[in-house]
């Protein structure tokens, strides 16, 4: 249902419609025309005054979890006011509506549940998925973020409790990238869960069963993807937080067939590459000259490694040479050829070496210039690990990207490296003081990538999202870190400027899409003005009153 379909809404129904409700901002004339007289206090307020009240409420909350709950209630009653608040200070609110607070939310999602948001497509809907999707009231969905809850923020398989992730991701499409919120749809693909504790929880809202065998799951996902093409033909499918093997398999299966991408694989890869590009500009070095050690060998590590290989090939290395510069470890030790538990994707990075589970020993052997953590093992980069990286490198690059528990904190990295580390984590740490030096740690979070990419896709309507476009997104971000910011050790632009950053990235990506014949709409004369004209702005629009009867 779009806004024109909602014009007949009046009275209390209007106040209960989060898309049209403006609460105390309804004018005296609107209240009379729309049957609202007597239903609101007499004072007519501006959107700015309403936002002031919201901020006072948020300031009074004792924890970010309580702030999240308050904001969730707000978006359920007044979407415009919700985005007015979020977009007023993204640096403050992104950590509340997304990571790290969202990790706590997802652990208790079924217990915190208030009212439905998005869609739940479960296994018992097999054969009817297109029919069910048509129950969504908006026909022109442009972004659908879908999860199975199989691998959420280092929490493992949390099934239907993972729904908080698609909701939060799509809110950032709007808050950080100005994608119109009515074009987005969060989806929980409920295939059951391996989490026995959840299945036994009387308040758990998902299917109380184990996930199906791979062949049955593949058929279910195939029906879902096909149904999305039928019901929402202009929609981009954003795969989010699927179990690692499923994430890799479905991205490979659909990336050249439908408009889709996997943010855990491609978004993480792109934002990591952007931070590395900036760090290497500070060092005056090339990507192709680095040696990378990943702690973690799942979908994020593999996706990032594959993107790094492509980027190093662009600098002149062969594929084999590029892959040889990437070493991985996981919970079972070094990824090397004698292991019998490796996937085909992991074997690409299994280089001849003696087996070991000792991270320090691996660092001594490999002598990496870049250490990347995607292990979900908080604290794994211990003091001896960081000190050894600093012994090997004048400016070690250390990216502990696990959320919500990174492998080391910013204070630890700077302290143990005598202030020489080039550091970015998956969560934002405050600035660190060491003597008279101020260090500003970066946050290698995907929200620097997917909102701008989403805005470009929304505007240009490409048929596919290619690996080259993901690399272009990384460079579009890195190029916005000024020389003066680099001199202060910053690897990413300030979060306070995130909307400007995302719009600038979207313009560059749109330019790339037009130049490479990937856009399916006519090229405008002024791309930036064209894209800015499509950007969502949290303002109250006109409501045409409809007479009763």
């Amino acid at each position: 249902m779009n806004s024109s379909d909602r014009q007949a809404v009046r009275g209390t129904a209007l106040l209960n419609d989060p898309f049209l409700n403006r609460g105390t901002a309804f004018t005296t004339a609107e209240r009379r025309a729309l049957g609202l007289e007597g239903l609101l206090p007499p004072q007519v307020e501006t959107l700015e005054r309403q936002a002031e009240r919201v901020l006072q409420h948020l300031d009074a909350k004792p924890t970010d979890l309580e702030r999240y709950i308050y904001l969730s209630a707000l978006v359920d009653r007044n979407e415009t006011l919700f985005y007015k608040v979020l977009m007023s200070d993204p640096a403050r609110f992104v950590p509340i509506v997304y990571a790290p607070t969202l990790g706590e939310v997802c652990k208790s999602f079924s217990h915190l549940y208030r009212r439905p948001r998005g869609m739940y497509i479960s296994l018992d809907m097999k054969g009817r998925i297109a029919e069910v999707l048509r129950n969504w009231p908006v026909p022109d969905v442009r972004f659908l973020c879908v999860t199975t809850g199989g691998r959420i923020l280092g929490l493992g398989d949390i099934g239907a409790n993972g729904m908080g992730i698609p909701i939060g991701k799509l809110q950032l499409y709007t808050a950080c990238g100005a994608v119109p919120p009515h074009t987005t749809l969060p989806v929980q693909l409920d295939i059951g869960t391996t989490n026995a504790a959840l299945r036994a929880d009387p308040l758990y809202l998902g299917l109380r069963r184990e996930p199906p065998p791979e062949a049955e799951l593949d058929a279910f996902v195939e029906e879902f993807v096909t149904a999305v093409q039928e019901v929402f033909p202009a929609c981009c499918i954003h795969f989010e937080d699927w179990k690692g093997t499923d994430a890799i398999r479905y991205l490979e299966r659909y990336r050249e067939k439908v408009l889709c991408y996997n943010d855990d694989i491609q978004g993480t890869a792109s934002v990591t590459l952007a931070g590395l590009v900036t760090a290497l500009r500070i060092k005056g070095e090339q990507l192709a000259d680095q040696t990378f050690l990943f702690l973690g060998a799942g979908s994020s590590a593999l996706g990032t490694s594959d993107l790094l290989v492509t980027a190093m090939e662009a600098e002149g290395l062969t594929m084999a040479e590029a892959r040889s510069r990437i070493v991985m470890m996981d919970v079972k030790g070094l990824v090397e050829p004698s292991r019998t538990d490796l996937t085909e994707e992991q074997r690409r990075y299994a280089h001849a070496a003696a087996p070991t589970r000792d991270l320090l020993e691996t660092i001594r052997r490999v002598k990496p210039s870049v250490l990347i953590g995607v292990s979900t093992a908080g604290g794994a980069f211990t003091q001896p690990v960081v000190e050894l990286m600093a012994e090997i490198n004048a400016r070690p690059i250390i990216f502990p990207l696990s959320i919500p528990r990174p492998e080391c904190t910013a204070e630890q990295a700077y302290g143990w490296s005598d202030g020489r580390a080039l550091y970015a984590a998956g969560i934002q740490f405050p600035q660190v003081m060491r003597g008279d030096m101020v260090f500003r740690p970066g946050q290698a979070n995907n929200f620097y990538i997917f909102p701008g990419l989403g805005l470009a896709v929304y505007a240009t309507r490409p048929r596919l999202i290619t690996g080259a476009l993901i690399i272009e997104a990384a460079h579009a971000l890195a190029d916005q870190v000024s020389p003066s910011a680099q001199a202060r050790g910053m690897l990413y632009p300030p979060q306070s400027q995130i909307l400007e950053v995302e719009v600038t990235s979207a313009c560059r990506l749109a330019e790339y899409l037009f130049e490479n014949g990937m856009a399916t709409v006519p090229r405008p004369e002024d791309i930036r003005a064209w894209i800015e004209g499509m950007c969502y702005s949290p303002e109250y629009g006109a409501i045409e009153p409809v007479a009763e009867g």
Side-chain angles (χ1 to χ4, degrees), residues 134-450:
R134 289 191 178 92
N135 289 334
W136 188 246
V138 180
D140 186 23
V141 172
R142 303 290 294 280
F143 293 96
L144 183 156
C145 184
V146 57
T147 188
T148 59
R151 190 194 65 82
I152 299 288
L153 295 176
L155 302 175
D157 183 352
I158 60 171
N161 279 4
M163 183 55 151
I165 295 294
I167 292 171
K169 281 277 184 177
L170 291 174
Q171 287 172 345
L172 296 195
Y173 270 84
T174 300
C176 299
V179 174
H182 71 274
T183 67
T184 67
L185 171 58
V187 173
Q188 172 71 39
L189 210 61
D190 193 345
I191 62 172
T193 177
T194 59
N195 191 321
L198 280 181
R199 297 198 305 269
D201 182 349
L203 294 183
Y204 177 61
L205 290 168
L207 293 179
R208 299 176 188 276
R209 55 158 291 175
E210 289 270 355
E214 184 175 298
E216 183 181 347
L217 178 60
D218 286 355
F220 182 60
V221 173
E222 175 67 22
E223 183 189 348
F224 172 76
V225 171
T226 301
V228 171
Q229 309 313 302
E230 177 185 336
V231 180
F232 308 121
C235 184
C236 174
I237 299 175
H238 171 150
F239 293 104
E240 182 69 31
D241 284 337
W242 292 52
K243 187 176 70 175
T245 52
D246 292 340
I248 294 169
R249 186 169 75 257
Y250 294 129
L251 180 60
E252 289 302 311
R253 180 169 300 174
Y254 294 112
R255 68 194 303 172
E256 296 184 5
K257 295 180 180 179
V258 302
L259 184 63
C260 71
Y261 77 108
N262 185 298
D263 189 54
D264 304 297
I265 297 174
Q266 295 167 294
T268 299
S270 186
V271 76
T272 303
L273 176 59
L276 291 173
V277 167
T278 307
L280 293 174
R281 285 174 180 167
I282 294 171
K283 295 181 68 172
E285 297 175 4
Q286 296 294 308
L287 196 70
D289 297 326
Q290 309 307 307
T291 301
F292 304 87
L293 175 57
F294 284 81
L295 184 63
S299 59
S300 294
L302 292 166
T304 302
S305 296
D306 289 347
L307 196 72
L308 289 174
V309 167
T310 302
M312 286 189 280
E313 287 180 290
E315 293 185 0
L317 295 187
T318 66
M319 180 181 291
E321 289 170 337
R323 286 179 176 172
S324 73
R325 294 183 174 276
I326 296 172
V327 177
M328 293 184 183
M329 294 187 72
D330 64 11
V331 68
K332 295 184 179 180
L334 185 65
V335 173
E336 44 80 22
S338 73
R339 285 180 51 175
T340 60
D341 61 329
L342 300 179
T343 65
E344 179 182 344
E345 293 80 13
Q346 289 170 326
R347 287 200 171 278
R348 295 198 292 261
Y349 300 101
H351 312 305
T356 181
R357 296 192 177 195
D358 189 331
L359 178 57
L360 278 171
E361 174 61 26
T362 302
I363 293 174
R364 291 189 186 96
R365 289 187 199 171
V366 174
K367 294 182 171 51
S369 53
V370 180
L371 180 62
I372 299 175
V374 282
S375 65
T376 73
F381 294 169
T382 60
Q383 182 170 352
V385 166
V386 175
E387 288 177 344
L388 183 55
M389 284 293 296
E391 179 183 323
I392 294 169
N393 303 280
R395 300 296 305 272
I397 299 174
I398 299 175
F399 282 15
L401 303 183
S402 292
I403 299 174
R405 298 180 297 276
E407 286 77 5
C408 70
T409 68
E411 186 172 7
Q412 289 169 337
Y414 294 128
W416 295 337
S417 67
D418 194 28
R420 292 183 283 121
L422 293 165
Y423 176 94
I427 64 174
Q428 183 62 58
F429 284 103
Q431 67 181 28
V432 175
M433 297 287 297
R434 294 192 77 248
D436 59 354
M437 296 289 293
V438 179
F439 297 90
R440 295 174 174 83
Q443 183 179 11
N445 193 293
N446 301 9
F447 69 73
Y448 273 118
I449 296 294
F450 67 80

Side-chain angles (χ1 to χ4, degrees), residues 49-50 52 89 212 255 307 321 401 403 515 539:
R49 179 54 54 84
Q50 290 178 311
E52 180 183 334
D89 191 355
R255 68 194 303 172
L307 196 72
E321 289 170 337
L401 303 183
I403 299 174
E515 288 182 353
E539 302 294 339

